[in-house]
Amino acid sequence: MLTVDIAKRLGEFSLLARFVSPGGATALFGPSGAGKTSLVNMIAGLLLPDRGRIALDDTVLFDAEKGINIPAHRRRIGYVYQEGRLFPHLSVLRNLDYGRWMSGLSPDEAQTRRIIELLDVAHLLKRRPGRLSGGERQRVAIGRALLMRPVLLLLDEPLASLDAGRKAEILPYLERLRDEARVPMIYVSHHAAELRRLATSVVRMEAGRVIAVGGLELLDGAATDLSA
């Protein structure tokens, strides 16, 4: 369970967020500029809240009053960005292994095979990122994050840079990830249709505020795309 209760001012923009994610795939849903990426960056430890508290199960990641701020590299949180951010000079296999290596984990061939099969990237292992489609790159980025054995996975608009065809290609893999990997996810998007397929709970944001927390009913009546 992820518990968030934070405040942050970024220039003229202020962010106040309070919610509990019970597990599964929690959507952060709202228009562009609502503060979704800033919020996940605070959960990841990449942006420092001005005040408040963030806890994951029994582990306090940040507590302003108690002076607790676990560094990002020690939070065991996987982060998948919009553009994947793969290393162009490394093969797919070495990109995948980077997550494990960065986390100081011993090689685990069985786990690596499981992730490769889950995301269907066995035929890509010798390629470099420049020879991958956008959907393939995102699958590799997800695999790299999973191989660090995260206790939480953050996905910040992972389909935003893909065209409709590539989105249709990768959505089934994200559904498998939700159902089979058993890693809680925070999934950022402003596309209601995408979230109806993937989310198990919804945190709705507008203008730096959490305005509602609940189930998929919070997507009802929403425009398919809240990017405007």
Side-chain angles (χ1 to χ4, degrees):
M1 179 180 292
L2 175 69
T3 304
V4 175
D5 185 0
I6 55 87
K8 178 70 176 178
R9 176 165 288 280
L10 298 162
E12 296 299 313
F13 182 80
S14 67
L15 177 60
L16 292 171
R18 183 177 184 181
F19 68 92
V20 174
S21 168
T26 297
L28 286 186
F29 175 61
S32 296
K36 303 183 300 296
T37 294
S38 295
L39 179 53
V40 294
N41 282 340
M42 284 185 268
I43 295 169
L46 303 176
L47 183 64
L48 185 68
D50 294 334
R51 61 182 184 274
R53 187 176 187 271
I54 302 171
L56 184 57
D57 295 326
D58 296 328
T59 302
V60 177
L61 303 177
F62 173 81
D63 191 314
E65 289 189 0
K66 296 182 178 179
I68 297 172
N69 183 33
I70 295 178
H73 68 278
R74 290 179 49 207
R75 294 191 181 194
R76 291 187 59 205
I77 293 176
Y79 201 148
V80 179
Y81 300 87
Q82 281 187 24
E83 64 278 13
R85 299 191 184 183
L86 300 180
F87 296 107
H89 62 292
L90 298 181
S91 68
V92 164
L93 181 59
R94 292 183 65 192
N95 266 286
L96 286 170
D97 194 52
Y98 184 81
R100 175 202 63 79
W101 178 79
M102 271 298 293
S103 298
L105 300 172
S106 299
D108 185 336
E109 292 185 8
Q111 172 72 350
T112 300
R113 283 197 304 270
R114 188 176 76 87
I115 297 303
I116 287 171
E117 291 171 4
L118 175 69
L119 296 169
D120 191 21
V121 294
H123 62 295
L124 305 174
L125 296 179
K126 294 182 180 180
R127 296 187 194 177
R128 292 191 177 184
R131 295 179 56 208
L132 303 178
S133 71
E136 289 168 343
R137 284 194 294 271
Q138 287 302 82
R139 279 151 55 195
V140 174
I142 292 167
R144 180 176 63 184
L146 289 173
L147 283 169
M148 66 174 286
R149 297 182 192 169
V151 293
L152 177 68
L153 189 61
L154 306 175
L155 299 104
D156 186 10
E157 307 242 26
L159 307 186
S161 62
L162 306 182
D163 60 28
R166 297 305 183 192
K167 286 182 180 181
E169 168 195 316
I170 197 173
L171 272 168
Y173 294 102
L174 291 171
E175 289 172 319
R176 287 186 66 187
L177 174 64
R178 177 198 62 203
D179 297 337
E180 299 179 25
R182 295 189 177 91
V183 178
M185 297 187 292
I186 303 295
Y187 191 98
V188 176
S189 181
H190 52 252
H191 291 278
E194 184 181 311
L195 294 176
R196 287 189 183 97
R197 288 187 60 172
L198 296 173
T200 56
S201 60
V202 177
V203 176
R204 188 156 181 174
M205 296 185 67
E206 288 185 12
R209 302 292 186 271
V210 171
I211 62 169
V213 179
L216 298 185
E217 70 277 359
L218 294 181
L219 303 174
D220 293 344
T224 300
D225 182 348
L226 288 184
S227 58

